[in-house]
Amino acid sequence: MDNIKGNVIRVNLSLGSINFFTTEDFYRFLGGRGYGDWVLLNEVSKDAEPLSEENKVIIATGCFTGTSLPGSSRIALVTKNALSGGISYSSGGGNWGPELKKAGIDAIIIEGKSSTPKYLFINNGNVELRDASHLWGMTTWDTEDAIKEELKDDGIRAISIGPAGENLSKVACVMIDKAHALAWGGSGAILGCKMLKAIAVKGDKDLKMHDKALFNDLVKSYSHILLSSPASASLRKGGTHGMAGVGGWSGKVPTSVRNLQEEYWDPDKAKKVSEEAYKPYEKKRTRCYNCPLACLHYYEMERDGEVLSCEGMHANSVRGFASNWDIDDPFEVLKIHSLCNKYGMDVDGVSASVAWAIECFEEGIINEEDTFGLKLKWGNSTDLITLVEQMAFRKDFGDLLSEGVSNASRIIGRGSEKYAMQIKGVGINEQGVHSHKAWSLAIATSTRGSGHLSGAPQTENRQIPEQVGKWLFNCEEAGIPGSYKGKGKLVAWYEIYKAIIDSIGICYFDAGWYEVALADIKHFTRMYQAFTGKTITDKEMWNIAEKILNLERAFNTIHAGFTRKDDYLPERIMEEPLNVGPFKGEYMDREKFDAMLDEYYETQGLCKETGLQKRETIERLGMDYLIKYFSSNNVSIE
């Protein structure tokens, strides 16, 4: 497999053209997020609006997607963020990515804009754009079913947008296999603008490897560690719903309560929406491709003749629609989650926007005249469900909230910006932002804005021992939630590590996030050599991940103008201490946060004063093309 190259499809919707090409860049950046970043930076100009034909969507498998490596289900979606104008990347599981790989395709670049609805059908080496007029207006669930029926093949895998994407809601997402979301940056709206309803895939090709026997032997060793892990056993037992949903099993896992006002919810309410409370309604556990953890729940509930059947309720949905909106009715929480999946809406974006609206209503900033008669009260699930549906179809007050919490607060004004929990224009639906210092710092520094799945470590939540923190991360207090010491270095480490995970195409749950014993990239460098036949050192792979982050920072600098000021948390987190719970009194001390941020910048080779990249860092990484990129866009760096 000399000069190994990735197989890429370029789909121009304006021209209706499909072109195949191969590129070494795919493996040069490990695939997935890394390859998507590279294409976006090189092909999308700073003048391109996110919701325009000039923006592009890159959907890329990882170099290990579809292999025997546990959790190798992931694909990345990279585009220009509809909420911030900066970078947006998402990682999604299910079975679509491995199917694309079996069809002989590593990545798809989607550009232009169709004049009529289309869907893309990839059938091994045959690729065609098909009419999707009959699918327009359908939910993501109905779209997948209709495509399978039309193509007369239940084995086809599909990703699609729902009504939220068609109506250009900026909290719209792309759904995989009905239950897995590519959920950041308004990706659903961006495909909706391009009039691309879905991508269906069928493949039956074997993956080519340099040394398949060696690769599988390395996977066995990796799997032994994964399956020996108490953290993995806990995930398999209760999923993230059980591990982290509204207090978790310990009752001490922080959550978000009423728009991040608190982190500890009434335990009597929490019990009603716990994983244990949902057990009677669990019909089965489901899993993504080749994952031993099966962390997904398939629930079925009935009330007054209404039946809910839905897969995949993770901790984010429980937190976002239960504690963050103060709803303790398990049926209503599941209903809101299922609506987001069907309509194709980002759980975090919906949660943040609605929580802001409720608090503004409670504070008298907005009223029923603004909300078209809806009473936005904590726990008022009836009106809140109506509002979610309005967001999908951009009707009435939902039209405003579909702009995302940051945009909505600017439009309303009246001091409402104070209650908009957002970073870099992206709404926050998070736990532990007051109390867990490294976790919170990583949410602030995330290049895509507000996400813990960029570099937030689980070391604090798991309270790893002092020696483990020292040995693995040179941070003795890595397991102490309230400590600021060494947390800048810790976050920088996990950001680089996560860039690798998102690019090679495996799930974070099957990697070194929960189980730190797997947080050694030597596993991946050896597998990369077995897969490609190309030697790569640990340092070389680490440097690739650093390059990925620097591509994202460069894109953010030119396209969104982000600097140090954009790496801060909402004022609420830095000024209002928690009043109740195990972490009572905690808040993010501004002076100590600044010290953490300085340490983070120093570790990442960034300028402490501005947060921008340094010339010496770019040169160390061999990224001279970024110097030209900055210069051509009239930006100077030190």
Side-chain angles (χ1 to χ4, degrees):
M1 296 180 70
D2 293 336
N3 298 318
I4 185 168
K5 297 180 179 181
N7 299 316
V8 183
I9 305 172
R10 184 181 296 275
V11 181
N12 188 306
L13 293 165
S14 298
L15 301 175
S17 63
I18 298 169
N19 294 299
F20 295 78
F21 67 95
T22 61
T23 175
E24 293 182 5
D25 290 333
F26 180 83
Y27 285 96
R28 184 159 70 97
F29 287 101
L30 306 177
R33 172 179 160 191
Y35 177 66
D37 287 349
W38 173 252
V39 174
L40 194 76
L41 182 127
N42 281 282
E43 296 193 10
V44 175
S45 74
K46 68 176 182 180
D47 297 324
E49 292 294 328
L51 297 181
S52 73
E53 62 182 305
E54 286 77 27
N55 192 12
K56 301 190 180 186
V57 176
I58 303 93
I59 300 174
T61 64
C63 59
F64 296 153
T65 301
T67 65
S68 59
L69 181 60
S72 58
S73 63
R74 312 298 281 194
I75 56 169
L77 186 153
V78 180
T79 190
K80 187 169 183 176
N81 196 313
L83 293 165
S84 72
I87 194 85
S88 178
Y89 57 85
S90 307
S91 175
N95 294 282
W96 188 90
E99 196 75 14
L100 184 66
K101 205 80 162 181
K102 288 192 292 182
I105 304 300
D106 294 300
I108 307 168
I109 300 172
I110 303 164
E111 57 192 20
K113 178 179 180 179
S114 175
S115 58
T116 59
K118 301 291 184 183
Y119 79 91
L120 190 68
F121 180 38
I122 303 169
N123 185 4
N124 288 312
N126 300 312
V127 183
E128 60 177 317
L129 278 168
R130 299 173 66 104
D131 178 61
S133 299
H134 58 300
L135 304 176
W136 207 252
M138 287 187 180
T139 68
T140 61
W141 295 2
D142 291 341
T143 297
E144 181 174 327
D145 291 342
I147 289 174
K148 289 180 177 180
E149 182 177 352
E150 178 179 325
L151 299 175
K152 296 179 172 56
D153 190 340
D154 285 339
I156 283 173
R157 302 293 181 180
I159 63 174
S160 63
I161 64 170
E166 295 173 3
N167 290 298
L168 308 187
S169 167
K170 291 181 181 177
V171 294
C173 68
V174 178
M175 293 300 299
I176 309 169
D177 299 339
K178 300 184 180 181
H180 312 273
L182 292 160
W184 226 251
S187 58
I190 293 167
L191 286 188
C193 173
K194 294 181 177 300
M195 303 290 280
L196 187 65
K197 179 66 174 176
I199 305 176
V201 181
K202 184 64 183 291
D204 56 18
K205 299 180 180 181
D206 291 331
L207 297 186
K208 294 181 180 180
M209 288 191 193
H210 173 74
D211 191 334
K212 190 171 185 178
L214 176 58
F215 187 91
N216 289 336
D217 282 344
L218 293 169
V219 166
K220 287 179 183 178
S221 298
Y222 186 92
S223 299
H224 179 78
I225 301 172
L226 177 67
L227 297 178
S228 299
S229 164
S232 297
S234 295
L235 272 170
R236 187 164 186 168
K237 181 180 179 182
T240 61
H241 188 172
M243 284 279 280
V246 191
W249 283 322
S250 68
K252 296 182 179 180
V253 176
T255 186
S256 175
V257 180
R258 294 184 295 279
N259 201 28
L260 293 179
Q261 293 183 55
E262 296 289 345
E263 292 182 6
Y264 182 72
W265 201 32
D266 182 338
D268 290 332
K269 292 183 176 182
K271 286 179 182 178
K272 296 178 183 177
V273 294
S274 68
E275 193 263 345
E276 188 64 29
Y278 276 90
K279 274 291 185 187
Y281 311 106
E282 183 181 288
K283 296 303 177 183
K284 59 182 177 180
R285 294 292 288 276
T286 61
R287 69 188 73 218
C288 298
Y289 172 86
N290 194 32
C291 180
L293 302 183
C295 72
L296 298 166
H297 307 261
Y298 192 96
Y299 294 130
E300 185 173 297
M301 304 178 76
E302 185 273 337
R303 177 180 292 173
D304 299 330
E306 181 180 4
V307 177
L308 294 176
S309 297
C310 191
E311 178 185 0
M313 191 162 72
H314 281 300
N316 278 40
S317 289
V318 184
R319 175 172 63 249
F321 307 136
S323 61
N324 205 36
W325 295 359
D326 207 21
I327 296 175
D328 62 359
D329 185 322
F331 185 88
E332 304 293 3
V333 172
L334 184 64
K335 183 172 183 176
I336 299 167
H337 168 80
S338 68
L339 287 175
C340 286
N341 282 3
K342 288 196 293 185
Y343 292 149
M345 301 173 74
D346 172 21
V347 163
D348 292 344
V350 171
S351 176
S353 295
V354 173
W356 164 81
I358 298 170
E359 188 165 9
C360 287
F361 194 95
E362 294 271 3
E363 292 292 327
I365 295 172
I366 61 176
N367 54 40
E368 289 181 52
E369 185 175 343
D370 297 299
T371 65
F372 293 78
L374 295 179
K375 294 179 173 61
L376 303 185
K377 300 287 187 179
W378 301 117
N380 180 9
S381 57
T382 301
D383 281 4
L384 298 184
I385 287 172
T386 298
L387 187 54
V388 171
E389 293 173 331
Q390 288 181 356
M391 290 177 71
F393 294 93
R394 297 206 68 140
K395 292 183 177 179
D396 298 336
F397 192 57
D399 184 37
L400 174 70
L401 296 193
S402 288
E403 287 293 312
V405 64
S406 181
N407 293 325
S409 68
R410 283 199 297 269
I411 293 168
I412 285 289
R414 310 175 199 170
S416 68
E417 298 90 341
K418 173 183 177 181
Y419 303 105
M421 299 298 106
Q422 58 86 24
I423 300 170
K424 299 182 179 73
V426 181
I428 307 173
N429 169 34
E430 281 297 344
Q431 61 187 44
V433 286
H434 287 82
S435 59
H436 288 46
K437 308 311 179 187
W439 181 270
S440 193
L441 173 65
I443 292 165
T445 59
S446 168
T447 53
R448 69 177 188 165
S450 292
H452 68 254
L453 288 174
S454 296
Q458 283 283 355
T459 56
E460 297 167 323
N461 184 34
R462 293 188 54 73
Q463 298 185 18
I464 65 170
E466 176 182 318
Q467 286 296 336
V468 174
K470 181 178 181 180
W471 290 335
L472 296 184
F473 311 111
N474 194 28
C475 179
E476 296 181 9
E477 298 183 17
I480 302 175
S483 170
Y484 295 83
K485 186 178 179 180
K487 297 299 177 67
K489 292 185 295 183
L490 180 65
V491 167
W493 192 96
Y494 262 100
E495 274 192 349
I496 297 169
Y497 177 73
K498 184 53 163 43
I500 293 173
I501 299 303
D502 285 346
S503 299
I504 64 176
I506 70 169
C507 178
Y508 216 7
F509 295 158
D510 296 278
W513 193 37
Y514 272 112
E515 180 44 71
V516 294
L518 288 172
D520 181 355
I521 66 167
K522 195 176 300 304
H523 298 291
F524 305 135
T525 56
R526 290 172 177 172
M527 291 178 195
Y528 187 88
Q529 292 169 20
F531 190 92
T532 66
K534 287 183 172 292
T535 300
I536 186 171
T537 66
D538 294 353
K539 184 178 180 180
E540 286 170 338
M541 182 171 280
W542 198 254
N543 284 348
I544 290 172
E546 288 188 88
K547 290 178 182 180
I548 291 168
L549 288 169
N550 276 276
L551 289 174
E552 293 169 359
R553 292 191 183 104
F555 189 91
N556 280 347
T557 297
I558 300 304
H559 287 253
F562 291 152
T563 62
R564 181 178 177 125
K565 65 178 173 52
D566 298 290
D567 285 339
Y568 279 84
L569 298 157
E571 294 298 315
R572 164 166 287 164
I573 310 305
M574 308 187 84
E575 293 182 355
E576 301 176 17
L578 298 172
N579 293 305
V580 295
F583 300 103
K584 181 179 179 180
E586 286 286 351
Y587 68 104
M588 184 63 77
D589 181 277
R590 187 176 298 274
E591 185 175 335
K592 293 178 180 178
F593 178 85
D594 275 326
M596 279 199 305
L597 194 55
D598 285 346
E599 181 181 72
Y600 164 83
Y601 285 148
E602 183 176 0
T603 306
Q604 295 287 43
L606 305 174
C607 175
K608 292 181 183 179
E609 287 72 31
T610 65
L612 300 179
Q613 289 151 289
K614 291 183 177 179
R615 181 180 292 267
E616 64 187 60
T617 301
I618 292 172
E619 291 175 344
R620 174 180 66 81
L621 293 170
M623 302 180 77
D624 291 348
Y625 50 82
L626 282 188
I627 295 175
K628 296 179 181 178
Y629 178 71
F630 285 124
S631 178
S632 66
N633 285 284
N634 300 314
V635 172
S636 60
I637 57 173
E638 296 180 2

